[in-house]
Amino acid sequence: MSTSASPFSAFVTRHRFLILFAVLSSLMGTSVGIAKVATSLYAVQLGANESLLGLIAAAQMVGILFVSIPIGILVDNWGPARLFVIGTLLAGTTYVLLPLIPSTAFLLACTAAISFFMPMRFVSLNAVFMAQLEAVGESKAGWYRGTHMIGMFLLGPVVAAAAVRGVGYSGTYWMIAALFFLTVFVSPIVFRGYTPRPEQRRRLSFAELLAQLRLLRHEPELRSACLLEACGQGINGFYVFFIVAIALQTLGMSAAEATQLITAQGISFIVALFLLGGLVSRLGHARAYPASFALVAVSLGLLGSTQLRPLLLLAALLLGLGLGGIQIMNLTRFARIGAQLGRGKVAALNALAGPAGTFFGSLAGGALGQLIGLRTVFLVCSAAAAVLFVGALQKLLATRSASEPA
């Protein structure tokens, strides 16, 4: 028996951080996934129109835009553990209160309030993973987001649909709060090994906030990574939030069928994050970027044009693969930049870029959907992804031409 236990013990010892991190990240992702789907379904039940749906989707990110950078400074000063616990308790308490008043205005207010607490959780987690990425290897760069997405896209939507049917919206939101509180007890194990570097400690001031934003102007690699993160998360956020409304109101699907489209995209995204890291490393970013942009452009084109459910599921799968490839490359770039410029700084900008894309993507998508229809917005995004594909392909061809002997 000891013979069989020894390899297992060695595996657990070698991957102890990844295993513990996966448990915490999966719990966090599950609670967020349930909340996203439940909020979308709850908003539809309360009679929200396209513009109000866009506001509620954007409200999930509004606080993140304002406090992510200050939280990054506090992570460098205090470490992530204390901030994680505070943010978790505040957000969990708000979820307890959310279903008490069945009003779209109250739903919007609570959603916005929660968005101010969430950066304390994920900026902290970003900093911890960046610090460990050098040890675990860049081929596992997607594992952090992958474990989070298992909960958000695979477990969360399924649990949300079942919970809404079984215990209603009040019970569902209280379940979300319970999951938030549970992560408080798991987090100390993951955060135990993180120690802020003395040279990276900074004073929380307006000047320091401006200095951190100026990094985007002075560091082109960081600026490029942030822009791609914003675009990818914007497309992903628009899809996850509005595909439910599209499926229910335009395609005549049930709530369970609508969540299948989220689950399919989430599974594909997760597979990409866990399995494509090695392939991306071998291909190099110059080849992997145009391939990912092409997948995103094709999938969004299908989502905006077809009525056939098999093709919609195929589009969801392709979208997950394309966005997953982009995410792997972005996480690798952020980790490398963070080692040079400071992990708190870069973790905060990383945490800001994605939600900023989701915020403006949801807000603009809802407003544009009011004018031209939500499905047509997918076609607009497809055209934008095609432009990125052409640009990345031209850059690749130019690099090859320059490297060829005269």
Side-chain angles (χ1 to χ4, degrees):
M1 185 171 181
S2 60
T3 304
S4 61
S6 179
F8 177 76
S9 300
F11 175 85
V12 171
T13 301
R14 188 166 62 252
H15 299 288
R16 182 174 181 273
F17 171 79
L18 280 177
I19 292 170
L20 295 173
F21 193 93
V23 172
L24 177 60
S25 186
S26 296
L27 283 173
M28 290 174 61
T30 300
S31 61
V32 172
I34 297 171
K36 283 184 176 293
V37 174
T39 297
S40 183
L41 294 173
Y42 190 37
V44 171
Q45 188 198 56
L46 292 175
N49 58 26
E50 288 87 347
S51 294
L52 190 52
L53 283 171
L55 284 174
I56 293 171
Q60 297 176 9
M61 303 298 160
V62 64
I64 297 169
L65 302 179
F66 290 100
V67 301
S68 290
I69 291 180
I71 294 300
I73 295 174
L74 294 178
V75 166
D76 282 339
N77 290 345
W78 299 347
R82 189 188 317 175
L83 294 169
F84 182 91
V85 171
I86 293 171
T88 299
L89 293 176
L90 290 172
T93 302
T94 307
Y95 275 121
V96 171
L97 301 175
L98 191 152
L100 298 182
I101 301 176
S103 159
T104 54
F106 190 68
L107 174 61
L108 179 62
C110 287
T111 302
I114 290 167
S115 73
F116 280 87
F117 309 139
M118 295 300 285
M120 298 184 199
R121 287 163 56 87
F122 60 74
V123 172
S124 299
L125 212 62
N126 281 352
V128 171
F129 190 75
M130 283 182 184
Q132 292 290 332
L133 187 57
E134 184 176 345
V136 302
E138 288 187 0
S139 65
K140 298 181 177 63
W143 285 33
Y144 162 38
R145 198 57 56 86
T147 53
H148 189 78
M149 293 302 164
I150 285 176
M152 181 178 288
F153 289 118
L154 185 59
L155 299 177
V158 175
V159 173
V164 168
R165 288 196 304 268
V167 298
Y169 289 105
S170 294
T172 300
Y173 281 115
W174 293 338
M175 179 191 304
I176 294 167
L179 287 174
F180 268 69
F181 297 144
L182 179 60
T183 61
V184 171
F185 298 99
V186 179
S187 64
I189 306 173
V190 173
F191 291 114
R192 185 179 298 156
Y194 187 95
T195 303
R197 295 180 182 178
E199 68 273 14
Q200 292 181 354
R201 292 185 178 177
R202 298 169 288 154
R203 182 168 166 267
L204 182 57
S205 64
F206 185 70
E208 183 61 37
L209 297 178
L210 289 179
Q212 188 156 337
L213 287 174
R214 289 193 192 101
L215 285 175
L216 295 174
R217 185 176 63 188
H218 300 303
E219 300 289 339
E221 178 71 3
L222 178 60
R223 183 171 62 249
S224 172
C226 286
L227 286 173
L228 284 176
E229 182 75 9
C231 291
Q233 293 294 335
I235 291 172
N236 189 66
F238 178 82
Y239 174 84
V240 171
F241 194 87
F242 284 101
I243 197 64
V244 173
I246 290 170
L248 293 175
Q249 298 174 349
T250 305
L251 301 176
M253 294 183 177
S254 65
E257 290 172 330
T259 56
Q260 285 177 2
L261 293 176
I262 297 178
T263 303
Q265 191 255 3
I267 291 173
S268 178
F269 197 104
I270 291 164
V271 168
L273 290 173
F274 279 108
L275 301 183
L276 293 187
L279 178 61
V280 168
S281 297
R282 288 193 296 273
L283 288 176
H285 289 192
R287 293 184 180 88
Y289 268 126
S292 298
F293 292 145
L295 288 174
V296 172
V298 171
S299 62
L300 291 172
L302 286 173
L303 287 168
S305 61
T306 184
Q307 299 281 340
L308 300 176
R309 293 182 186 179
L311 287 180
L312 289 171
L313 285 172
L314 174 63
L317 294 172
L318 293 178
L319 182 61
L321 287 176
L323 293 178
I326 295 170
Q327 183 74 143
I328 289 170
M329 290 178 276
N330 281 350
L331 288 171
T332 301
R333 293 170 72 185
F334 278 122
R336 290 175 178 170
I337 298 167
Q340 299 172 353
L341 303 180
R343 294 191 176 95
K345 292 180 182 179
V346 175
L349 289 171
N350 179 16
L352 176 63
T358 304
F359 175 83
F360 291 109
S362 300
L363 196 61
L368 192 58
Q370 186 88 22
L371 296 174
I372 64 175
L374 289 173
R375 297 197 71 198
T376 308
V377 176
F378 283 128
L379 297 178
V380 174
C381 293
S382 177
V387 171
L388 291 174
F389 163 74
V390 171
L393 186 60
Q394 287 177 339
K395 185 177 180 180
L396 173 61
L397 294 176
T399 303
R400 284 184 175 179
S401 298
S403 62
E404 289 178 357

